[in-house]
């Protein structure tokens, strides 16, 4: 049995254990890991997520039990202080000793603290461990201004963390540009512009000379004489390999730090190896995890395998999302004036920069830089790695491929099987496609758990997904988002089938185009499609509706329903308020104001719904469709009629829009809002469509969303007049209704739309598909067909009968019970 | 509310055929609730009234009297109903929960005779 000790329990140290245990169990290799930090290895790459809600537990590479389950002795809070190379033995700071056959140094690095006067002052931190983060969090609690020293990858991550703490962050960089190792001046300019628009101030070309303050940091002064008042400083100016243990044990180290290793990651002691950020390979220290993971694999092969694997240096290409800004840098990002020519696209307006270094014959890319939009990173990076010929003219690469026809020529099909798709785990295209070939039913999750692809940085997920689909396609399988086992069609295809064949019911559809009796997925979906196409009231197809649509009310705990009458724009007269109050009193309903400026009446029994609605409708109310995947509300502020700031009459416009789209069935609920001025009191930018008044007209925003994953709406058109605004909403909503997947809000729909907002603008505003008029006509057809479904339900005795609890008795459901809370009734807990 | 469990009916001929209501009183290809003694029974039909099933109205997941308002459908050849609350689905033949580890529901035999729907009980 071989005894291996790993010194250091960071990401690379952990990966060594994981990779080793994959092939060798405890009977073959005894494995001990020492870590000086109190907790097991955690994900340092995503450290900044600690500030936006992740816990230390979330960041763990694996819980303690994983080490136990894999027979790995994990000794945390224990620092190895001595290596007795002669006797092959280590000693820890607790005095305990352990002998080894092989020792793997994975001690990583510490933050480099430049020798600046005053770095010892309170309020100066480094950004490296969870303990550092805890200190930053507690010190920065009530501060306003904070600076990060270092504008590299980690420094910008740290700046994001400060932003998440609601501080005003400044980034101070010594070089003339941000991310000097990855970006050129123009790329840095665009990144700087984008970050500044997000609230991060960037100071480049600043040599920090002095940290001012009496015991506690108060500001920075720079070599050019300027000063910056800040209350906290986070240093992220590079790393320094933790090679002190190696040094004191007499191992060879580099003069600038790092344990010297050969191509087999072996130090000058054949029993000792070094991996990760502490290893210095051919004068290079690698500060990324992917090369560290590969080093770990090389060492396992050297100690336990056939010694054929070696480390040959590593591609330093990176792609990341910095505070929402995509940045990619790959191959040789800066090019070489003699052998390559740069092709450059720079768009200051939208904050996009693309630089591609092309060989003089125009055939190959050697590297490049992407800022603002890095969607093509994977494919461009692969073209560099695999020396793939540029299809067509190099200039075509400067514009982002749309994923559609043009993208196909740039597509993954052209990659060889050896192309590495996931560099964190070293997974090739062939690894993924072979897995799919072996089991065609395998899902993306299966691929992830089988290969570990996508589990590191996650950047390869779209490519892995594409390879899976492509492989299935090459096997003659069509990959479709079919709705369920009863239909071999997508929502969009079912929409077309119903429309083209004039299908009017679920039974007709399932007999003609499906199998079985349908289910809780395809039935409501069909109901929604029938409604979107013919705009018939939901109650016509009651038995294929979810319970809310079937009974035109929202089911609540205890089996009762809630009632929400429409209150367009949130405007209501005192008389109508009185009616709501009288109904609530008469039927003993719990009342609550909703988030959409209307009133919810809860606790109605099924059989009470028709009489309640009879009274509401008699007073002029209509269904509010709160139960439906349909237009909910169009919220408004009081606007220019009352408000001293208002520039347009937002209430009148909101009422007009709500009346226009009420009852419109769609893939998911739709919410709108109209604000009367730039102050945006109606919160229009969080709605599926939001309208904000300007001096000249209206700005139209689309695809915003509250809920679990909030997303701001994006500007579709600005300063349009009222009629144009309505036309654009008509087209936008109709296009969404026709093309979105089931239960997809507009925000998610847009996120998945090839070409994103630009494409949507082309279709909706510029009519690039030539369908605008058709969309408007279809919308008008639906609007003309509107009727209040509750009015129909109470007037038709047959429909009204459906609201009885029993078919064979007039009795009420005896199972319903209530209790009192703050003077109103609520259902008893379930 | 759990008293329904005692009504589990095997293949044996039920003692009581309860005349519930006219076929026409039930929604086609959907469900409705029938009151029998103190019990609530969910009754469903498939194929426009050609195929009938009955089960307890109580969803055992959150103890709600609701299954009769659930959407019906099939999983393979198994007829099923989905609870409106959390979409737990139950076989209408065996009563077994098809998408979770929840106890099975009781099912009851149904027959149609001369325009009327009858449900079979053991008492």
């Amino acid at each position: 049995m071989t005894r291996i000790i790993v010194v250091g329990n960071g990401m690379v140290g952990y990966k060594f254990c994981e990779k080793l245990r994959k092939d060798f169990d405890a009977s073959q290799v005894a494995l001990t890991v020492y870590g000086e930090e109190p907790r097991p290895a955690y994900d340092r790459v995503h450290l900044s997520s600690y500030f936006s809600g992740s816990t230390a537990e979330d960041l763990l590479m694996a819980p303690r039990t994983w080490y136990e389950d894999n027979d790995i002795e994990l000794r945390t809070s224990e620092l190895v202080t001595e290596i007795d190379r002669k006797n092959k033995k280590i000693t820890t700071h607790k005095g305990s000793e352990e002998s080894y056959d092989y020792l793997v140094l994975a001690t990583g690095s510490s933050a480099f603290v430049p020798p600046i006067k005053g770095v010892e002052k309170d309020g100066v931190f480094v950004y490296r461990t969870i303990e550092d983060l805890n200190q930053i969090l507690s010190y920065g609690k009530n501060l306003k201004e904070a600076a990060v020293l270092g504008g590299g990858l980690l420094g910008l991550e740290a700046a994001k963390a400060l932003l998440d703490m609601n501080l005003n962050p400044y980034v101070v960089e010594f070089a003339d540009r941000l991310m000097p190792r990855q970006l050129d001046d123009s790329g840095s300019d665009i990144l700087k512009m984008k970050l500044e628009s997000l609230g991060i101030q960037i100071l480049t070309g600043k040599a920090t000379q002095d940290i001012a303050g009496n015991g506690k940091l108060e500001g920075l002064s720079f070599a050019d004489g300027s000063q910056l008042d800040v209350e906290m400083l986070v240093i992220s100016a590079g790393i320094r390999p933790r090679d002190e243990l190696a040094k004191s044990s007499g191992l060879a180290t580099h003069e600038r730090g790092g344990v010297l290793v050969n191509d087999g990651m072996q130090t000058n002691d054949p029993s000792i190896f070094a991996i990760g950020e502490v290893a210095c390979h051919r004068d290079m220290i690698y500060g990324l995890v992917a090369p560290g993971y590969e080093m770990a694999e090389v060492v396992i092969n050297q100690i336990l395998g056939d010694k054929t694997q070696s480390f040959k240096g590593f591609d330093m290409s990176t792609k990341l999302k910095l505070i929402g800004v995509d940045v990619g840098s790959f191959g040789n990002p800066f090019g070489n004036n003699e052998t390559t020519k740069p092709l450059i696209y720079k768009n200051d307006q939208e904050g996009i920069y693309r630089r591609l270094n092309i060989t003089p014959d125009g055939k190959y890319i050697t590297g490049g830089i992407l800022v603002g939009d890095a969607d093509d990173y994977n494919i461009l990076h692969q073209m560099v790695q695999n020396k793939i010929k540029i299809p067509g003219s190099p200039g075509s690469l400067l514009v982002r491929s749309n994923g559609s026809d043009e993208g196909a020529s740039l597509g993954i099909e052209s990659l060889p099987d050896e192309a590495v798709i996931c560099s964190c785990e070293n997974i090739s295209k062939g690894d993924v496609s072979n897995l799919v070939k072996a089991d065609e039913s395998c899902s993306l999750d299966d691929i992830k758990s089988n290969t570990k692809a996508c589990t590191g940085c996650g950047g390869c997920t779209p490519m892995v997904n594409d390879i899976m689909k492509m492989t299935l396609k090459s096997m003659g399988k069509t990959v479709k988002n079919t709705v369920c086992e009863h239909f071999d069609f997508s929502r969009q295809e079912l929409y077309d089938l119903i429309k083209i064949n004039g299908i009017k019911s679920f039974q007709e559809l399932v007999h003609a185009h499906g199998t079985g009796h349908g289910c809780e997925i395809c039935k409501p979906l069909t109901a929604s499609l029938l409604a979107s196409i013919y705009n018939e009231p939901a109650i016509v197809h009651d038995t294929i509706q979810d319970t809310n649509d079937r009974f035109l009310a929202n089911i609540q705990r205890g089996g009762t329903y809630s009632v929400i009458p429409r209150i367009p724009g949130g405007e209501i007269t005192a008389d109508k308020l009185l009616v709501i109050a009288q109904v609530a009193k008469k039927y003993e309903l719990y009342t609550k104001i909703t988030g959409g400026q209307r009133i919810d009446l809860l606790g109605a029994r099924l059989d009470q719904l028709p009489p309640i609605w009879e009274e509401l409708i008699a007073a002029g109310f209509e269904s509010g469709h709160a139960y439906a995947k349909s237009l909910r509300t169009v919220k408004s502020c009081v606007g220019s009629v009352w408000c001293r700031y208002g520039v347009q009459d937002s209430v009148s416009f909101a009422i007009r829009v709500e009346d226009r789209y009420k009852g419109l069935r769609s893939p998911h609920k739709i919410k709108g809002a109209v604000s009367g001025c730039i102050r945006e009191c109606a919160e229009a930018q969080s709605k599926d469509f939001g309208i904000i008044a300007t001096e000249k007209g209206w700005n139209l925003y689309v695809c915003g969303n509250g809920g679990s994953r909030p997303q701001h709406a994006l500007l579709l058109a600005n300063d349009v007049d009222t009629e144009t605004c309505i036309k654009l909403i008509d087209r936008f909503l109709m296009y969404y209704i026709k093309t979105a997947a089931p239960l997809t809000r507009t925000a998610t729909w847009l996120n998945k739309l090839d070409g994103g907002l630009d494409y949507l603008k082309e279709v909706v505003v510029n009519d690039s598909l030539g369908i605008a008029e058709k969309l408007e006509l279809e919308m008008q057809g639906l609007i003309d067909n509107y009727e209040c479904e509750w009015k129909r339900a109470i007037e038709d005795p047959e429909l009204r009968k459906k609201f009885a609890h029993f078919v064979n008795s007039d009795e009420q459901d005896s199972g319903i019970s209530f209790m009192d809370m703050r003077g109103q009734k609520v259902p008893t807990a379930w | 509310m759990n008293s329904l469990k005692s009504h589990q009916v095997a293949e044996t001929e039920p003692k009581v055929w309860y005349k519930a209501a006219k076929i026409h009183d039930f929604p086609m290809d959907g469900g409705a609730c029938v009151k029998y003694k103190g019990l609530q029974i969910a009754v469903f039909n498939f194929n426009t009234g050609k195929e009938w099933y009955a089960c307890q109205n109580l969803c055992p997941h959150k103890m709600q009297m609701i299954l009769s308002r659930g959407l019906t459908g099939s999983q393979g050849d198994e007829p099923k109903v989905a609870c409106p609350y959390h979409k737990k689905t139950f076989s209408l033949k065996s009563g077994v929960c098809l998408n979770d580890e929840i106890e099975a529901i009781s099912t009851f035999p149904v027959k149609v005779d001369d325009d009327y729907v009858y449900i079979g009980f053991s008492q």
Side-chain angles (χ1 to χ4, degrees):
Chain A
M1 191 175 67
T2 314
R3 285 165 302 167
I4 298 181
I5 293 178
V6 180
V7 185
N9 186 221
M11 295 177 78
V12 172
Y14 161 79
K15 196 52 83 169
F16 178 86
C17 300
E18 185 192 288
K19 284 179 186 281
L20 185 132
R21 272 296 181 249
K22 218 170 92 188
D23 294 320
F24 303 95
D25 63 23
S27 67
Q28 295 160 297
V29 179
L31 190 55
T32 308
V33 191
Y34 288 88
E36 64 173 73
E37 286 188 57
R39 40 179 86 69
Y42 54 87
D43 183 354
R44 235 184 271 279
V45 175
H46 296 107
L47 214 50
S48 67
S49 67
Y50 192 63
F51 290 84
S52 49
S54 289
T55 64
E57 285 294 304
D58 294 336
L59 287 171
L60 286 188
M61 301 293 289
R64 245 169 227 286
T65 48
W66 177 86
Y67 296 87
E68 287 161 22
D69 295 345
N70 285 282
D71 297 306
I72 297 167
E73 188 172 351
L74 172 66
R75 306 182 71 149
T76 48
S77 299
E78 197 159 356
L79 178 70
V80 175
T81 49
E82 217 182 299
I83 307 172
D84 178 356
R85 288 167 51 198
K86 213 173 106 206
N87 297 310
K88 290 194 170 188
K89 206 168 71 182
I90 59 108
T91 310
T92 74
H93 79 292
K94 291 181 178 166
S96 62
E97 296 182 346
E98 188 175 353
S99 44
Y100 63 84
D101 296 321
Y102 293 98
L103 188 70
V104 178
L105 296 175
T107 45
S109 64
S110 55
F112 168 64
V113 179
I116 299 170
K117 224 174 92 198
V119 283
E120 73 292 340
K121 291 193 172 128
D122 282 354
V124 181
F125 301 93
V126 295
Y127 187 79
R128 184 75 195 156
T129 65
I130 289 186
E131 273 62 39
D132 296 334
L133 303 195
N134 285 336
Q135 286 178 13
I136 292 170
L137 276 173
S138 83
Y139 191 89
K141 221 172 249 166
N142 297 313
L143 304 184
K144 274 203 176 124
E145 316 285 330
V148 174
L149 190 65
L153 260 171
L154 259 181
L156 295 177
E157 276 281 315
K160 174 186 174 357
L162 297 182
L163 197 67
D164 285 339
M165 288 172 64
N166 289 323
L167 297 172
N168 292 331
Y170 293 83
V171 171
V172 179
E173 168 60 46
F174 175 74
D176 286 331
R177 58 176 194 265
L178 292 170
M179 299 179 68
R181 280 174 164 218
Q182 287 87 13
L183 300 183
D184 59 8
D185 289 342
S186 300
S188 163
D189 287 347
I190 295 275
L191 179 61
K192 179 177 169 187
M193 195 181 81
K194 287 219 139 186
L195 294 178
E196 291 193 329
S197 74
L198 293 165
I200 298 176
Q201 298 306 309
I202 310 285
L203 308 170
T204 51
K206 292 280 183 191
T208 312
Q209 239 171 12
D210 188 34
I211 295 174
N214 184 12
K216 187 175 97 184
L217 160 87
E218 281 163 9
L220 308 175
S221 49
F222 306 112
D224 60 7
S226 59
Q227 292 187 342
L228 178 67
D229 290 340
V230 288
E231 300 153 287
M232 181 163 80
L233 177 68
V234 176
I235 296 179
S236 185
I239 55 169
R240 174 144 290 180
R242 292 282 304 271
D243 58 5
E244 63 273 11
L245 177 66
K247 255 186 197 156
S248 67
S249 324
L251 293 174
T253 54
H254 195 277
E255 57 197 20
R256 289 195 309 270
V259 184
L260 295 179
V261 292
N262 61 19
D263 287 356
M265 303 316 291
Q266 200 171 34
T267 67
N268 59 322
D269 181 330
S271 308
I272 303 180
F273 293 79
I275 57 176
E277 291 175 332
V278 74
C280 179
H281 176 257
R282 296 192 196 174
D283 290 339
M284 268 292 281
I285 298 278
Y286 291 91
L288 296 178
V289 289
Y293 288 0
E294 187 169 320
M295 292 174 187
E297 202 156 301
V298 168
V299 172
I300 294 167
N301 175 269
Q302 290 287 334
I303 298 178
L304 300 156
D306 57 12
K307 298 190 190 346
T308 53
Q309 275 190 45
S310 63
F311 187 77
K312 300 182 193 73
F314 203 86
D315 174 46
M316 292 297 280
S317 302
T318 35
K319 176 191 167 188
L320 67 160
K321 211 180 189 73
L322 279 166
I323 321 159
V325 185
D326 280 331
V327 177
S329 167
F330 54 96
N332 179 352
F334 306 113
N336 175 328
N337 284 334
E338 317 221 317
T339 55
T340 59
K341 294 257 178 313
L343 268 178
I344 287 172
Y345 171 83
K346 190 165 177 244
N347 182 338
D348 287 332
Q349 187 80 32
E350 292 178 34
I352 291 172
Y353 177 69
R354 256 167 118 89
R355 174 195 175 128
L356 301 173
N357 305 311
I358 310 284
T359 54
D361 58 10
K363 285 185 177 158
Y364 300 96
I365 314 176
T366 65
I369 294 167
L370 304 171
V371 180
D373 174 0
D375 282 9
D376 285 344
Y377 170 86
N378 282 329
I379 194 78
L380 291 170
H381 179 210
Q382 290 295 330
M383 287 176 74
V384 174
Q385 292 280 85
N386 297 289
K387 297 201 172 52
I388 291 170
K389 257 195 195 166
I390 299 169
S393 81
S396 64
L397 295 180
L398 273 190
V399 225
R400 176 155 91 88
S401 66
N402 221 337
S404 55
D405 303 343
E406 227 179 304
S409 60
L410 253 184
I412 37 168
E413 286 90 340
S414 55
L415 296 179
D417 272 357
E418 307 80 63
V420 172
I421 302 301
C422 167
S423 51
C424 297
E425 296 287 340
N426 201 20
I427 307 298
S428 69
K429 178 186 165 191
D431 292 335
V432 175
S433 58
N434 287 338
L435 210 66
V436 177
K437 279 176 195 158
D439 175 14
E440 60 190 48
S441 67
C442 86
S443 66
L444 188 61
D445 286 336
D446 294 336
I447 294 173
K448 283 184 187 173
S449 62
N450 244 299
T451 61
K452 293 216 163 241
C454 319
T455 58
C457 68
C460 60
T461 315
M463 270 195 125
V464 170
N465 200 9
D466 285 348
I467 293 167
M468 181 181 83
K469 288 193 176 158
M470 185 203 73
T471 313
L472 285 171
K473 215 171 150 187
S474 73
M475 293 159 68
K477 303 268 162 204
T478 38
V479 191
K480 281 204 290 201
N481 303 316
T482 57
V483 299
C484 66
E485 67 172 87
H486 305 101
F487 290 98
D488 207 12
F489 299 102
S490 67
R491 178 185 183 272
Q492 204 174 342
E493 287 166 330
L494 285 177
Y495 182 101
D496 294 338
L497 280 173
I498 294 172
K499 187 145 198 191
I500 293 162
N501 299 314
I503 290 171
K504 291 278 189 170
S505 74
F506 178 78
Q507 294 303 334
E508 221 182 299
L509 183 69
V510 77
H511 287 140
H513 302 286
T515 56
H517 293 291
C519 66
E520 68 280 5
I521 295 165
C522 60
K523 280 181 168 178
L525 167 66
T526 305
S528 155
L529 290 174
L530 288 169
S532 289
I533 293 167
Y534 307 115
N535 209 10
E536 287 172 316
I539 198 158
V540 173
H541 303 285
D542 65 332
T543 57
I544 58 166
Q545 305 280 7
D546 267 320
T547 188
N548 286 2
D549 270 312
R550 180 172 178 184
F551 298 111
L552 310 176
N554 296 54
I555 195 167
Q556 308 291 352
R557 287 186 186 214
T560 64
Y561 291 81
S562 61
V563 170
I564 303 184
R566 187 167 296 288
I567 301 179
E571 184 188 76
I572 186 164
T573 62
D575 282 338
K576 279 186 141 182
L577 273 176
L578 269 175
V579 172
I580 290 184
Q582 281 158 357
V583 166
K585 230 178 149 71
K586 178 169 172 187
Y587 295 92
E588 292 180 72
L589 303 175
Y590 169 98
T591 54
K592 189 174 188 306
I593 309 292
T594 72
Q597 302 190 332
R598 37 196 201 172
I599 298 169
D600 200 354
L601 308 165
L602 295 98
R605 288 192 319 264
L606 194 57
D607 59 282
Q608 290 177 320
L609 291 172
I612 287 173
W613 273 105
E614 201 155 31
E615 294 185 32
L616 289 172
I617 286 170
F621 284 105
E622 287 184 306
S623 166
H625 297 96
Y627 47 83
K629 306 295 176 219
S630 173
L631 179 80
R632 295 287 171 86
T633 67
V634 180
K635 185 175 175 178
S636 70
C637 64
V638 292
S640 60
V641 173
W642 287 93
C643 175
R644 64 201 154 125
Y645 296 117
V647 295
Q648 305 276 359
D649 180 0
S650 51
V651 181
S652 298
F653 198 23
I655 293 172
R656 179 172 168 194
V657 173
E658 184 161 342
D659 273 333
R660 184 171 180 81
Y661 302 115
K662 65 189 174 191
L664 180 71
R665 300 287 161 149
S666 49
H668 209 303
K669 62 183 170 190
I670 304 172
K671 297 179 177 184
V674 184
S675 276
C677 80
I678 193 73
R679 284 169 191 76
E680 241 283 69
C681 297
E683 296 165 328
Q685 287 167 96
S686 65
K687 306 298 184 199
D688 296 280
F689 61 89
I691 303 161
I692 302 176
T694 68
E695 297 282 353
K696 296 177 202 150
W698 308 98
N699 281 352
L700 175 60
Y701 291 78
V702 293
C703 301
N705 190 152
S708 60
R709 292 191 60 193
Q711 192 167 319
H712 274 144
L714 300 169
L715 184 65
L716 185 75
N718 57 316
D719 290 330
V720 291
D721 60 61
T722 306
E723 298 313 314
T724 310
C725 190
I726 291 208
K727 258 187 184 183
L728 292 177
I729 304 172
D730 274 5
R731 298 176 189 177
F732 161 70
L733 288 178
M734 204 62 221
Y735 187 54
Y736 159 67
I737 288 170
K738 293 182 77 160
T739 59
L743 300 180
T744 306
R745 290 286 300 267
T746 54
T748 319
W749 170 69
L750 180 69
N751 294 345
K752 289 183 177 166
L753 189 68
D754 273 338
L757 180 71
D758 291 342
Y759 181 73
L760 185 65
K761 266 188 200 166
E762 281 300 309
V763 175
V764 173
V765 183
N766 301 329
D767 194 18
S768 63
L769 301 180
I771 56 170
E773 201 184 335
K774 191 165 159 250
L775 294 174
E776 286 170 34
L777 276 174
E778 285 175 309
M779 179 61 83
Q780 194 56 48
L782 294 178
I783 292 164
D784 294 342
N785 252 346
Y786 168 81
E787 63 175 306
C788 171
E789 44 201 8
W790 262 114
K791 190 161 186 285
R792 159 103 73 122
I794 58 165
E795 285 170 359
D796 181 336
E798 277 303 307
L799 291 177
R800 219 174 150 140
K801 251 175 60 183
K802 295 173 191 277
F803 294 89
H805 184 67
F806 294 111
V807 279
N808 61 337
S809 161
D810 291 336
E811 283 175 56
Q812 296 154 7
D813 178 3
S814 57
I816 296 177
S817 66
F818 297 100
M819 55 187 213
D820 178 84
M821 191 180 263
R822 289 179 293 278
Q824 296 203 74
K825 72 170 188 188
V826 295
T828 47
W830 63 16
Chain B
M1 281 194 187
N2 256 334
S3 59
L4 275 177
K5 263 189 261 173
S6 59
H7 287 280
Q8 183 73 55
V9 179
E11 283 85 43
T12 52
E13 180 69 13
K15 269 192 191 161
V16 187
W17 276 111
Y18 173 67
K19 187 175 179 179
K22 280 190 166 167
I23 293 178
H24 180 72
D25 292 332
F26 292 89
M28 282 305 111
D29 298 303
C33 187
V34 166
K35 189 175 165 73
Y36 172 69
K37 294 184 177 172
L39 305 176
Q40 296 196 16
I41 309 298
V43 180
F44 305 95
N45 70 82
F46 288 63
N47 282 334
T48 331
K50 289 189 195 77
E51 223 180 289
W52 290 81
Y53 299 95
C55 67
Q56 66 185 56
N57 195 31
L58 183 87
C59 175
H61 175 222
K62 292 288 175 186
M63 295 297 166
Q64 301 283 304
M65 282 295 185
I66 202 67
L67 290 178
S68 61
R69 298 180 204 164
L71 281 165
T72 56
S74 59
Q75 179 169 321
D77 291 332
E78 200 80 4
K80 65 170 185 177
V81 62
C83 173
Y85 277 107
H86 304 96
K87 295 285 182 305
K88 305 293 175 195
T89 58
F90 300 90
S91 161
L92 288 173
K93 282 186 173 161
S94 64
V96 167
C97 181
L98 299 170
N99 59 358
D100 204 344
E101 288 176 7
I102 296 177
E103 63 189 276
I105 53 171
S106 306
T107 59
F108 306 90
V110 183
K111 69 174 185 184
V112 175
D113 192 11
D114 194 26
D115 250 16
Y116 273 89
V117 176
Y118 295 79
I119 308 166
F121 296 101
S122 57
Q123 55 181 307

